[in-house]
Amino acid sequence: MTSSSSIVMDGLTKRFGQLTALDHLDLKLEGSKCVGFLGPNGAGKTTALKLLSDMIFPTEGECFINGISVQEERKKALAEVGLLIETPEIYPSLTPREALGMIADLRGVPHSEWNARIETVLSEVKMMEWADKKVGSFSKGMKQRINIAASLVHDPEIVILDEPATGLDPRGMAEVRDIVRSLKKRNRLIFMSSHILQEVTDVCDEIALIDKGKLLLYDTLANTIARFSDAGAQSTVDAGLSRPLDSQGEGKLKTSGDIVSFESVEPTRLRITFKGGMKGQEKLLQSLVAMDIGIVSLSGRANALEDIYLQQIGRGD
Amino acid sequence: MAAEAEVTGEHIKAAESVFNVPGTFMQIPKLMRYQFSVYLQSRRFYAMISIIVVIGALLSVVVAHFRPSFINNNLAFYGSLFAGAIPVVIVLAAVFFGGDAIAGEFQNRTGYFLMSVPIRRATIYVAKYIAAFLASLAIMALYVVILLINGVYYFGSNAFPWQLGLSFVLSIAYLAAVLGTTFLFSSLFKTSAYGFVMTVVLFLFGFSLLEDLMSLVVKMEPWMVISYASGVMGDVFSSNIHWGFTGLTTTLTTRGPGGAIFRSTSYTPGVGEGVLIMLAYFIITAIVGLFRFERQEFS
């Protein structure tokens, strides 16, 4: 059943007066995976997600969820979707248990299952101890956790998240990533907009990049990085070491033909610049292991995505 | 067979997790119950109760101290203290509970929480309307209880005129119309303050002014003004109730200095006419408000 989950945006256009926020966006997501929706501020990400949830109406085009038109049959189309759009506010006089009870009730979750489901999702967002406190006294991050819980309370087949890490501290961001990973394990289709490239790199299988309302690319993360990694271009990675680099290790690095330059960021962390794209990175890792300098980690994919992002979007234009 | 079930276990679990979203007519009472509970827990509900208790206490003390002539006649007593005050109570309740009912969903961003659910905009509108109606009714009931306690004190427990019951029924129709209008104003804006101000200005001054302008200057029956229709709540306490569906026109001719003749015309709505006007306000504002909210974007 979950393999048939689909989100389709068909020629989706939205104009606000003279401003074209979304320009004939065509995007089709299918199956169980996590798709990162990337783009700079004002690119049209939230506009697209609002159109997908029928919060705003398209100037042209249509959206379909599981083959059902959102514009024609909102209720039916959103029945199996968990939505979090633009950091909603919850009625301050309600407790998380009451607010999630309301969502569960309106979604048709049987009363006998409420407690179990509410407690499951509240535990997932680490808010169980606040279950019976009024939401009015919560911080922005706590409210966002409840919003995430609300989008999951009915165990949806498709989850649409608009900047889910907004207002969350680093621990909260890591927890969001854990939630997304857990949803992926349960074969859900997740469509998530984010500004945090590390987050996208960590959890997403595919990325859709938009700017000025137009889709620039949609592909798997691996294909995207491979496609845009120019063999002649230089890339930078951070290498973690188990021990500080000694003079012998420094000599090995200097004489390695795979490395353009390197610098010590911390005693046990090196920033290495190399050439050759993904192939070059693979070769570099093999060389570093062979050098026996205590290499324990190499993080470079977020940088690669950042390079592609900046290359596609343009540096500040 | 068992192996097949095991292999597809994840899919079976997912299939079981899909719930049937209740129909629109099932979602309305569900959402209404939560909205009503939100009203009951709100500061404005307690503020409204405090206002009614203060008005009731003042009324009791003033009547007991000054003993106006109407305390000798139960019909006059209830006519003055119910019909005289209930329109103000209704307008206050409508402003408190309906003024930002729709606009507040945009301004406070609570609408984004509701709209994450597979629910029609009309369901939200209707559920919120019914919740506000019930909260307002509770406030009206509180005022009636205070009035009845006073009435029992002066006339005993067997002196409730039937006109009081009829006037109460008419006041419920008036509440439906006022709240419908308030919801319409609220749906026109995305900022709560505009809805509040518009309702207060129109119901406390605007409609009365329009009514006076039409009857005194234009010299026509102000049948399209809601405050004119609200007159029937008091008219039912008079000795000759005009039940009809048309207004009663009374022209008074007086002679001024130098023999000049002055004519003043006043209009009294028939009870049937008053009910029709209130019903029309309720229906028209509900349709326009619903249509407007259906087209509102959460942008």
Side-chain angles (χ1 to χ4, degrees), chain A residues 1 14 50 54-55 57 74-75 80 86 89 91 93 105-107 114 117 134 155 187, chain B residues 10 22 24 27 30 33 35 41 105 108-110 115-119 121 294 297-298:
Chain A
M1 183 201 70
K14 180 65 183 175
K50 282 183 177 177
D54 193 42
M55 287 187 183
F57 311 113
R74 175 178 211 273
K75 266 186 80 173
E80 289 163 27
E86 270 220 302
E89 282 292 329
Y91 296 111
S93 60
D105 201 2
L106 291 169
R107 282 194 169 273
W114 283 15
R117 287 201 172 268
K134 302 261 187 216
D155 196 13
N187 297 322
Chain B
E10 195 67 55
T24 297
Q27 279 184 328
K30 284 175 190 286
R33 196 158 46 84
Q35 292 293 329
Q41 293 178 61
E105 292 294 333
N108 305 329
R109 306 179 63 77
T110 46
M115 287 295 285
S116 70
V117 177
I119 193 168
R121 282 173 169 78
E294 284 281 355
E297 291 191 326
F298 285 81

mmCIF file of all heavy atoms in Angstrom, chain A residues 1 14 50 54-55 57 74-75 80 86 89 91 93 105-107 114 117 134 155 187, chain B residues 10 22 24 27 30 33 35 41 105 108-110 115-119 121 294 297-298:
data_model
loop_
_atom_site.group_PDB
_atom_site.id
_atom_site.type_symbol
_atom_site.label_atom_id
_atom_site.label_comp_id
_atom_site.label_asym_id
_atom_site.label_seq_id
_atom_site.Cartn_x
_atom_site.Cartn_y
_atom_site.Cartn_z
ATOM 1 N N MET A 1 0.826 -1.213 0.000
ATOM 2 C CA MET A 1 0.000 0.000 0.000
ATOM 3 C C MET A 1 0.861 1.263 0.000
ATOM 4 O O MET A 1 0.675 2.174 -0.770
ATOM 5 C CB MET A 1 -0.919 0.009 1.213
ATOM 6 C CG MET A 1 -1.856 1.189 1.231
ATOM 7 S SD MET A 1 -2.463 1.517 2.871
ATOM 8 C CE MET A 1 -1.015 2.116 3.658
ATOM 9 N N LYS A 14 1.385 29.948 -8.718
ATOM 10 C CA LYS A 14 0.709 30.819 -7.755
ATOM 11 C C LYS A 14 1.245 32.235 -7.917
ATOM 12 O O LYS A 14 2.454 32.475 -7.821
ATOM 13 C CB LYS A 14 0.958 30.324 -6.319
ATOM 14 C CG LYS A 14 0.292 31.183 -5.261
ATOM 15 C CD LYS A 14 -1.211 31.134 -5.343
ATOM 16 C CE LYS A 14 -1.873 32.048 -4.317
ATOM 17 N NZ LYS A 14 -3.330 32.091 -4.479
ATOM 18 N N LYS A 50 1.842 24.894 0.966
ATOM 19 C CA LYS A 50 0.500 25.395 1.307
ATOM 20 C C LYS A 50 -0.514 25.006 0.227
ATOM 21 O O LYS A 50 -1.668 24.726 0.522
ATOM 22 C CB LYS A 50 0.516 26.913 1.476
ATOM 23 C CG LYS A 50 1.080 27.362 2.813
ATOM 24 C CD LYS A 50 0.987 28.865 2.921
ATOM 25 C CE LYS A 50 1.461 29.355 4.262
ATOM 26 N NZ LYS A 50 1.441 30.817 4.321
ATOM 27 N N ASP A 54 -3.914 22.771 0.562
ATOM 28 C CA ASP A 54 -5.126 23.562 0.268
ATOM 29 C C ASP A 54 -5.302 24.750 1.221
ATOM 30 O O ASP A 54 -6.402 25.212 1.465
ATOM 31 C CB ASP A 54 -6.368 22.655 0.327
ATOM 32 C CG ASP A 54 -7.597 23.327 -0.259
ATOM 33 O OD1 ASP A 54 -7.464 23.965 -1.302
ATOM 34 O OD2 ASP A 54 -8.683 23.222 0.343
ATOM 35 N N MET A 55 -4.189 25.248 1.764
ATOM 36 C CA MET A 55 -4.298 26.440 2.605
ATOM 37 C C MET A 55 -4.397 27.677 1.734
ATOM 38 O O MET A 55 -4.952 28.684 2.138
ATOM 39 C CB MET A 55 -3.087 26.545 3.535
ATOM 40 C CG MET A 55 -3.130 25.521 4.647
ATOM 41 S SD MET A 55 -1.841 25.788 5.830
ATOM 42 C CE MET A 55 -2.118 24.412 6.921
ATOM 43 N N PHE A 57 -4.857 28.778 -2.704
ATOM 44 C CA PHE A 57 -5.402 28.203 -3.934
ATOM 45 C C PHE A 57 -4.492 28.526 -5.131
ATOM 46 O O PHE A 57 -3.992 29.646 -5.226
ATOM 47 C CB PHE A 57 -6.804 28.771 -4.193
ATOM 48 C CG PHE A 57 -7.685 28.699 -2.976
ATOM 49 C CD1 PHE A 57 -8.106 29.852 -2.320
ATOM 50 C CD2 PHE A 57 -8.076 27.478 -2.454
ATOM 51 C CE1 PHE A 57 -8.898 29.787 -1.185
ATOM 52 C CE2 PHE A 57 -8.863 27.397 -1.328
ATOM 53 C CZ PHE A 57 -9.283 28.552 -0.688
ATOM 54 N N ARG A 74 -10.408 18.082 -0.802
ATOM 55 C CA ARG A 74 -9.427 18.318 0.260
ATOM 56 C C ARG A 74 -9.442 17.222 1.327
ATOM 57 O O ARG A 74 -8.409 16.672 1.696
ATOM 58 C CB ARG A 74 -9.731 19.671 0.906
ATOM 59 C CG ARG A 74 -8.882 19.978 2.087
ATOM 60 C CD ARG A 74 -9.145 21.333 2.695
ATOM 61 N NE ARG A 74 -7.901 21.809 3.274
ATOM 62 C CZ ARG A 74 -7.506 21.512 4.508
ATOM 63 N NH1 ARG A 74 -8.266 20.773 5.279
ATOM 64 N NH2 ARG A 74 -6.360 21.948 4.975
ATOM 65 N N LYS A 75 -10.646 16.927 1.817
ATOM 66 C CA LYS A 75 -10.774 15.985 2.931
ATOM 67 C C LYS A 75 -10.220 14.612 2.573
ATOM 68 O O LYS A 75 -9.482 14.009 3.334
ATOM 69 C CB LYS A 75 -12.250 15.831 3.327
ATOM 70 C CG LYS A 75 -12.669 16.758 4.448
ATOM 71 C CD LYS A 75 -14.069 16.472 4.894
ATOM 72 C CE LYS A 75 -14.134 15.272 5.815
ATOM 73 N NZ LYS A 75 -15.478 15.073 6.382
ATOM 74 N N GLU A 80 -4.745 10.725 4.571
ATOM 75 C CA GLU A 80 -3.607 9.901 4.976
ATOM 76 C C GLU A 80 -2.308 10.706 5.011
ATOM 77 O O GLU A 80 -1.221 10.162 4.839
ATOM 78 C CB GLU A 80 -3.487 8.708 4.028
ATOM 79 C CG GLU A 80 -4.607 7.711 4.242
ATOM 80 C CD GLU A 80 -4.773 6.758 3.084
ATOM 81 O OE1 GLU A 80 -3.796 6.505 2.384
ATOM 82 O OE2 GLU A 80 -5.902 6.266 2.903
ATOM 83 N N GLU A 86 4.311 25.896 8.370
ATOM 84 C CA GLU A 86 4.546 27.233 8.933
ATOM 85 C C GLU A 86 4.311 27.378 10.435
ATOM 86 O O GLU A 86 3.582 28.292 10.855
ATOM 87 C CB GLU A 86 3.677 28.251 8.188
ATOM 88 C CG GLU A 86 4.389 28.822 6.988
ATOM 89 C CD GLU A 86 4.144 30.305 6.809
ATOM 90 O OE1 GLU A 86 2.972 30.699 6.676
ATOM 91 O OE2 GLU A 86 5.116 31.045 6.796
ATOM 92 N N GLU A 89 0.111 27.770 15.619
ATOM 93 C CA GLU A 89 -0.077 27.984 17.059
ATOM 94 C C GLU A 89 -1.212 27.065 17.514
ATOM 95 O O GLU A 89 -2.148 26.807 16.759
ATOM 96 C CB GLU A 89 -0.447 29.441 17.337
ATOM 97 C CG GLU A 89 0.710 30.399 17.289
ATOM 98 C CD GLU A 89 1.714 30.218 18.421
ATOM 99 O OE1 GLU A 89 1.293 29.803 19.526
ATOM 100 O OE2 GLU A 89 2.911 30.466 18.204
ATOM 101 N N TYR A 91 -4.247 26.358 20.452
ATOM 102 C CA TYR A 91 -5.043 27.131 21.414
ATOM 103 C C TYR A 91 -4.360 27.068 22.784
ATOM 104 O O TYR A 91 -4.158 25.977 23.327
ATOM 105 C CB TYR A 91 -6.466 26.583 21.510
ATOM 106 C CG TYR A 91 -7.233 26.717 20.218
ATOM 107 C CD1 TYR A 91 -7.567 25.609 19.460
ATOM 108 C CD2 TYR A 91 -7.595 27.972 19.733
ATOM 109 C CE1 TYR A 91 -8.253 25.731 18.258
ATOM 110 C CE2 TYR A 91 -8.266 28.111 18.537
ATOM 111 C CZ TYR A 91 -8.597 26.993 17.801
ATOM 112 O OH TYR A 91 -9.259 27.125 16.613
ATOM 113 N N SER A 93 -5.149 27.511 25.787
ATOM 114 C CA SER A 93 -5.811 26.930 26.967
ATOM 115 C C SER A 93 -5.836 25.404 26.929
ATOM 116 O O SER A 93 -6.230 24.761 27.900
ATOM 117 C CB SER A 93 -7.234 27.476 27.093
ATOM 118 O OG SER A 93 -7.968 27.154 25.937
ATOM 119 N N ASP A 105 -9.438 13.040 17.133
ATOM 120 C CA ASP A 105 -10.899 12.968 17.042
ATOM 121 C C ASP A 105 -11.371 13.380 15.638
ATOM 122 O O ASP A 105 -12.165 12.688 14.997
ATOM 123 C CB ASP A 105 -11.489 13.927 18.098
ATOM 124 C CG ASP A 105 -12.916 13.572 18.454
ATOM 125 O OD1 ASP A 105 -13.422 12.569 17.924
ATOM 126 O OD2 ASP A 105 -13.526 14.299 19.264
ATOM 127 N N LEU A 106 -10.844 14.494 15.160
ATOM 128 C CA LEU A 106 -11.261 14.993 13.843
ATOM 129 C C LEU A 106 -10.758 14.094 12.710
ATOM 130 O O LEU A 106 -11.340 14.077 11.628
ATOM 131 C CB LEU A 106 -10.748 16.426 13.629
ATOM 132 C CG LEU A 106 -11.402 17.491 14.515
ATOM 133 C CD1 LEU A 106 -10.650 18.805 14.422
ATOM 134 C CD2 LEU A 106 -12.861 17.695 14.143
ATOM 135 N N ARG A 107 -9.695 13.348 12.983
ATOM 136 C CA ARG A 107 -9.153 12.452 11.954
ATOM 137 C C ARG A 107 -9.773 11.064 12.016
ATOM 138 O O ARG A 107 -9.464 10.217 11.197
ATOM 139 C CB ARG A 107 -7.638 12.338 12.098
ATOM 140 C CG ARG A 107 -6.896 13.547 11.542
ATOM 141 C CD ARG A 107 -5.443 13.230 11.399
ATOM 142 N NE ARG A 107 -4.739 14.256 10.642
ATOM 143 C CZ ARG A 107 -4.626 14.289 9.329
ATOM 144 N NH1 ARG A 107 -5.210 13.365 8.605
ATOM 145 N NH2 ARG A 107 -3.962 15.252 8.718
ATOM 146 N N TRP A 114 -6.752 6.534 21.409
ATOM 147 C CA TRP A 114 -6.206 7.879 21.616
ATOM 148 C C TRP A 114 -4.999 7.878 22.538
ATOM 149 O O TRP A 114 -3.943 8.377 22.189
ATOM 150 C CB TRP A 114 -7.269 8.815 22.210
ATOM 151 C CG TRP A 114 -8.270 9.298 21.237
ATOM 152 C CD1 TRP A 114 -8.512 8.803 19.982
ATOM 153 C CD2 TRP A 114 -9.190 10.355 21.442
ATOM 154 N NE1 TRP A 114 -9.541 9.495 19.403
ATOM 155 C CE2 TRP A 114 -9.971 10.443 20.274
ATOM 156 C CE3 TRP A 114 -9.442 11.223 22.491
ATOM 157 C CZ2 TRP A 114 -10.989 11.392 20.141
ATOM 158 C CZ3 TRP A 114 -10.439 12.156 22.363
ATOM 159 C CH2 TRP A 114 -11.218 12.241 21.185
ATOM 160 N N ARG A 117 -1.837 6.332 21.205
ATOM 161 C CA ARG A 117 -1.242 7.078 20.085
ATOM 162 C C ARG A 117 -0.650 8.407 20.561
ATOM 163 O O ARG A 117 0.444 8.790 20.156
ATOM 164 C CB ARG A 117 -2.281 7.323 19.001
ATOM 165 C CG ARG A 117 -2.593 6.062 18.257
ATOM 166 C CD ARG A 117 -3.201 6.310 16.912
ATOM 167 N NE ARG A 117 -3.267 5.050 16.224
ATOM 168 C CZ ARG A 117 -2.319 4.606 15.419
ATOM 169 N NH1 ARG A 117 -1.265 5.335 15.174
ATOM 170 N NH2 ARG A 117 -2.423 3.430 14.844
ATOM 171 N N LYS A 134 -0.682 23.386 30.174
ATOM 172 C CA LYS A 134 -1.279 24.248 29.135
ATOM 173 C C LYS A 134 -0.232 24.684 28.109
ATOM 174 O O LYS A 134 0.875 25.096 28.496
ATOM 175 C CB LYS A 134 -1.868 25.516 29.783
ATOM 176 C CG LYS A 134 -2.922 25.205 30.844
ATOM 177 C CD LYS A 134 -4.304 25.333 30.311
ATOM 178 C CE LYS A 134 -5.323 25.183 31.414
ATOM 179 N NZ LYS A 134 -6.525 24.494 30.995
ATOM 180 N N ASP A 155 -0.573 8.267 12.541
ATOM 181 C CA ASP A 155 0.364 7.377 11.845
ATOM 182 C C ASP A 155 0.178 7.483 10.326
ATOM 183 O O ASP A 155 -0.172 6.508 9.660
ATOM 184 C CB ASP A 155 0.152 5.920 12.305
ATOM 185 C CG ASP A 155 1.332 5.045 11.928
ATOM 186 O OD1 ASP A 155 2.378 5.595 11.545
ATOM 187 O OD2 ASP A 155 1.196 3.815 11.975
ATOM 188 N N ASN A 187 8.390 2.853 5.987
ATOM 189 C CA ASN A 187 7.974 2.974 4.577
ATOM 190 C C ASN A 187 7.048 4.149 4.300
ATOM 191 O O ASN A 187 6.095 4.026 3.530
ATOM 192 C CB ASN A 187 7.309 1.689 4.092
ATOM 193 C CG ASN A 187 8.251 0.518 4.128
ATOM 194 O OD1 ASN A 187 9.424 0.670 3.823
ATOM 195 N ND2 ASN A 187 7.758 -0.627 4.539
ATOM 196 N N GLU B 10 4.753 -5.175 7.490
ATOM 197 C CA GLU B 10 4.872 -3.719 7.541
ATOM 198 C C GLU B 10 3.722 -3.049 6.814
ATOM 199 O O GLU B 10 3.162 -2.061 7.254
ATOM 200 C CB GLU B 10 6.197 -3.322 6.888
ATOM 201 C CG GLU B 10 6.634 -1.893 7.169
ATOM 202 C CD GLU B 10 6.978 -1.673 8.629
ATOM 203 O OE1 GLU B 10 7.817 -2.401 9.153
ATOM 204 O OE2 GLU B 10 6.377 -0.782 9.219
ATOM 205 N N PRO B 22 -14.086 11.248 9.822
ATOM 206 C CA PRO B 22 -15.533 11.414 9.976
ATOM 207 C C PRO B 22 -16.101 12.358 8.923
ATOM 208 O O PRO B 22 -15.410 13.256 8.431
ATOM 209 C CB PRO B 22 -15.676 12.017 11.379
ATOM 210 C CG PRO B 22 -14.369 11.798 12.048
ATOM 211 C CD PRO B 22 -13.332 11.716 10.989
ATOM 212 N N THR B 24 -18.515 15.393 7.336
ATOM 213 C CA THR B 24 -18.630 16.789 7.758
ATOM 214 C C THR B 24 -19.606 16.950 8.930
ATOM 215 O O THR B 24 -19.316 17.667 9.893
ATOM 216 C CB THR B 24 -19.087 17.632 6.549
ATOM 217 O OG1 THR B 24 -18.067 17.533 5.553
ATOM 218 C CG2 THR B 24 -19.284 19.088 6.920
ATOM 219 N N GLN B 27 -17.919 15.855 12.020
ATOM 220 C CA GLN B 27 -16.798 16.704 12.455
ATOM 221 C C GLN B 27 -17.290 17.982 13.131
ATOM 222 O O GLN B 27 -16.628 18.496 14.031
ATOM 223 C CB GLN B 27 -15.911 17.050 11.252
ATOM 224 C CG GLN B 27 -14.933 15.948 10.874
ATOM 225 C CD GLN B 27 -14.018 16.369 9.737
ATOM 226 O OE1 GLN B 27 -14.424 17.141 8.867
ATOM 227 N NE2 GLN B 27 -12.806 15.858 9.715
ATOM 228 N N LYS B 30 -17.869 17.539 16.837
ATOM 229 C CA LYS B 30 -16.578 17.232 17.476
ATOM 230 C C LYS B 30 -15.776 18.526 17.674
ATOM 231 O O LYS B 30 -15.319 18.824 18.773
ATOM 232 C CB LYS B 30 -15.768 16.255 16.612
ATOM 233 C CG LYS B 30 -16.254 14.803 16.665
ATOM 234 C CD LYS B 30 -15.456 13.959 15.677
ATOM 235 C CE LYS B 30 -16.043 12.566 15.509
ATOM 236 N NZ LYS B 30 -15.799 11.689 16.637
ATOM 237 N N ARG B 33 -17.310 21.008 20.164
ATOM 238 C CA ARG B 33 -17.064 20.662 21.575
ATOM 239 C C ARG B 33 -15.708 21.231 22.032
ATOM 240 O O ARG B 33 -15.607 21.812 23.109
ATOM 241 C CB ARG B 33 -17.068 19.136 21.692
ATOM 242 C CG ARG B 33 -17.211 18.607 23.081
ATOM 243 C CD ARG B 33 -17.727 17.172 23.076
ATOM 244 N NE ARG B 33 -17.065 16.302 22.128
ATOM 245 C CZ ARG B 33 -15.902 15.662 22.364
ATOM 246 N NH1 ARG B 33 -15.293 15.833 23.520
ATOM 247 N NH2 ARG B 33 -15.369 14.872 21.459
ATOM 248 N N GLN B 35 -14.044 23.761 20.595
ATOM 249 C CA GLN B 35 -14.098 25.226 20.544
ATOM 250 C C GLN B 35 -14.850 25.767 21.754
ATOM 251 O O GLN B 35 -14.462 26.773 22.338
ATOM 252 C CB GLN B 35 -14.782 25.688 19.252
ATOM 253 C CG GLN B 35 -13.987 25.414 17.986
ATOM 254 C CD GLN B 35 -12.718 26.240 17.896
ATOM 255 O OE1 GLN B 35 -12.669 27.357 18.390
ATOM 256 N NE2 GLN B 35 -11.691 25.706 17.286
ATOM 257 N N GLN B 41 -12.700 28.082 28.838
ATOM 258 C CA GLN B 41 -11.445 28.247 29.582
ATOM 259 C C GLN B 41 -10.783 29.596 29.316
ATOM 260 O O GLN B 41 -9.716 29.870 29.856
ATOM 261 C CB GLN B 41 -10.473 27.132 29.183
ATOM 262 C CG GLN B 41 -10.932 25.756 29.638
ATOM 263 C CD GLN B 41 -9.965 24.680 29.169
ATOM 264 O OE1 GLN B 41 -8.802 24.685 29.523
ATOM 265 N NE2 GLN B 41 -10.444 23.757 28.364
ATOM 266 N N GLU B 105 -8.167 33.214 13.862
ATOM 267 C CA GLU B 105 -7.550 31.989 13.337
ATOM 268 C C GLU B 105 -6.380 32.339 12.418
ATOM 269 O O GLU B 105 -5.426 31.565 12.305
ATOM 270 C CB GLU B 105 -8.573 31.145 12.562
ATOM 271 C CG GLU B 105 -9.663 30.531 13.420
ATOM 272 C CD GLU B 105 -9.145 29.488 14.399
ATOM 273 O OE1 GLU B 105 -8.113 28.856 14.128
ATOM 274 O OE2 GLU B 105 -9.778 29.331 15.457
ATOM 275 N N ASN B 108 -3.735 34.740 15.035
ATOM 276 C CA ASN B 108 -3.039 33.947 16.053
ATOM 277 C C ASN B 108 -2.423 32.670 15.495
ATOM 278 O O ASN B 108 -1.817 31.907 16.221
ATOM 279 C CB ASN B 108 -4.009 33.586 17.179
ATOM 280 C CG ASN B 108 -4.679 34.804 17.764
ATOM 281 O OD1 ASN B 108 -4.088 35.877 17.794
ATOM 282 N ND2 ASN B 108 -5.907 34.657 18.214
ATOM 283 N N ARG B 109 -2.646 32.410 14.224
ATOM 284 C CA ARG B 109 -2.082 31.265 13.512
ATOM 285 C C ARG B 109 -2.621 29.919 14.001
ATOM 286 O O ARG B 109 -2.040 28.866 13.707
ATOM 287 C CB ARG B 109 -0.547 31.266 13.584
ATOM 288 C CG ARG B 109 0.096 32.561 13.124
ATOM 289 C CD ARG B 109 1.587 32.516 13.233
ATOM 290 N NE ARG B 109 2.150 31.502 12.368
ATOM 291 C CZ ARG B 109 2.303 31.623 11.075
ATOM 292 N NH1 ARG B 109 1.970 32.745 10.484
ATOM 293 N NH2 ARG B 109 2.809 30.664 10.350
ATOM 294 N N THR B 110 -3.706 29.940 14.784
ATOM 295 C CA THR B 110 -4.304 28.672 15.219
ATOM 296 C C THR B 110 -4.991 27.977 14.034
ATOM 297 O O THR B 110 -5.167 26.766 14.052
ATOM 298 C CB THR B 110 -5.322 28.908 16.350
ATOM 299 O OG1 THR B 110 -6.147 30.012 15.990
ATOM 300 C CG2 THR B 110 -4.639 29.202 17.663
ATOM 301 N N MET B 115 -6.173 23.623 10.023
ATOM 302 C CA MET B 115 -6.159 23.309 8.592
ATOM 303 C C MET B 115 -5.215 22.154 8.241
ATOM 304 O O MET B 115 -5.169 21.717 7.099
ATOM 305 C CB MET B 115 -5.789 24.551 7.773
ATOM 306 C CG MET B 115 -6.893 25.581 7.700
ATOM 307 S SD MET B 115 -8.356 24.988 6.821
ATOM 308 C CE MET B 115 -7.796 25.047 5.120
ATOM 309 N N SER B 116 -4.459 21.676 9.250
ATOM 310 C CA SER B 116 -3.604 20.516 8.981
ATOM 311 C C SER B 116 -4.427 19.231 8.998
ATOM 312 O O SER B 116 -3.925 18.157 8.701
ATOM 313 C CB SER B 116 -2.481 20.437 10.015
ATOM 314 O OG SER B 116 -3.010 20.084 11.273
ATOM 315 N N VAL B 117 -5.692 19.369 9.349
ATOM 316 C CA VAL B 117 -6.594 18.219 9.447
ATOM 317 C C VAL B 117 -7.451 18.168 8.176
ATOM 318 O O VAL B 117 -7.779 19.216 7.617
ATOM 319 C CB VAL B 117 -7.506 18.409 10.700
ATOM 320 C CG1 VAL B 117 -8.515 17.296 10.812
ATOM 321 C CG2 VAL B 117 -6.656 18.483 11.949
ATOM 322 N N PRO B 118 -7.813 16.966 7.726
ATOM 323 C CA PRO B 118 -8.737 16.917 6.574
ATOM 324 C C PRO B 118 -10.131 17.372 6.989
ATOM 325 O O PRO B 118 -10.946 16.575 7.458
ATOM 326 C CB PRO B 118 -8.716 15.444 6.155
ATOM 327 C CG PRO B 118 -8.186 14.697 7.312
ATOM 328 C CD PRO B 118 -7.360 15.634 8.117
ATOM 329 N N ILE B 119 -10.340 18.630 6.867
ATOM 330 C CA ILE B 119 -11.595 19.239 7.324
ATOM 331 C C ILE B 119 -11.955 20.350 6.355
ATOM 332 O O ILE B 119 -11.058 21.008 5.808
ATOM 333 C CB ILE B 119 -11.403 19.781 8.775
ATOM 334 C CG1 ILE B 119 -12.726 20.120 9.422
ATOM 335 C CG2 ILE B 119 -10.462 20.966 8.827
ATOM 336 C CD1 ILE B 119 -12.617 20.379 10.923
ATOM 337 N N ARG B 121 -13.350 24.034 5.279
ATOM 338 C CA ARG B 121 -13.382 25.345 5.912
ATOM 339 C C ARG B 121 -14.769 25.610 6.513
ATOM 340 O O ARG B 121 -14.902 26.181 7.587
ATOM 341 C CB ARG B 121 -13.048 26.441 4.892
ATOM 342 C CG ARG B 121 -11.588 26.576 4.571
ATOM 343 C CD ARG B 121 -11.388 27.561 3.420
ATOM 344 N NE ARG B 121 -10.007 27.933 3.219
ATOM 345 C CZ ARG B 121 -9.101 27.196 2.617
ATOM 346 N NH1 ARG B 121 -9.423 25.998 2.182
ATOM 347 N NH2 ARG B 121 -7.860 27.632 2.457
ATOM 348 N N GLU B 294 -14.540 30.383 2.814
ATOM 349 C CA GLU B 294 -14.143 29.325 1.861
ATOM 350 C C GLU B 294 -13.071 29.838 0.900
ATOM 351 O O GLU B 294 -12.289 29.058 0.373
ATOM 352 C CB GLU B 294 -15.360 28.850 1.049
ATOM 353 C CG GLU B 294 -16.316 27.940 1.808
ATOM 354 C CD GLU B 294 -15.841 26.494 1.908
ATOM 355 O OE1 GLU B 294 -14.812 26.167 1.308
ATOM 356 O OE2 GLU B 294 -16.504 25.724 2.614
ATOM 357 N N GLU B 297 -7.420 32.691 2.111
ATOM 358 C CA GLU B 297 -6.180 31.930 2.024
ATOM 359 C C GLU B 297 -5.354 32.093 3.293
ATOM 360 O O GLU B 297 -5.297 33.192 3.854
ATOM 361 C CB GLU B 297 -5.359 32.403 0.824
ATOM 362 C CG GLU B 297 -5.989 32.050 -0.513
ATOM 363 C CD GLU B 297 -5.032 32.281 -1.673
ATOM 364 O OE1 GLU B 297 -4.228 33.224 -1.595
ATOM 365 O OE2 GLU B 297 -5.093 31.518 -2.647
ATOM 366 N N PHE B 298 -4.750 31.025 3.723
ATOM 367 C CA PHE B 298 -3.843 31.089 4.878
ATOM 368 C C PHE B 298 -2.445 31.436 4.351
ATOM 369 O O PHE B 298 -1.556 30.611 4.323
ATOM 370 C CB PHE B 298 -3.839 29.757 5.626
ATOM 371 C CG PHE B 298 -5.077 29.540 6.442
ATOM 372 C CD1 PHE B 298 -6.247 29.084 5.852
ATOM 373 C CD2 PHE B 298 -5.090 29.816 7.800
ATOM 374 C CE1 PHE B 298 -7.394 28.903 6.590
ATOM 375 C CE2 PHE B 298 -6.232 29.636 8.547
ATOM 376 C CZ PHE B 298 -7.392 29.179 7.947
#
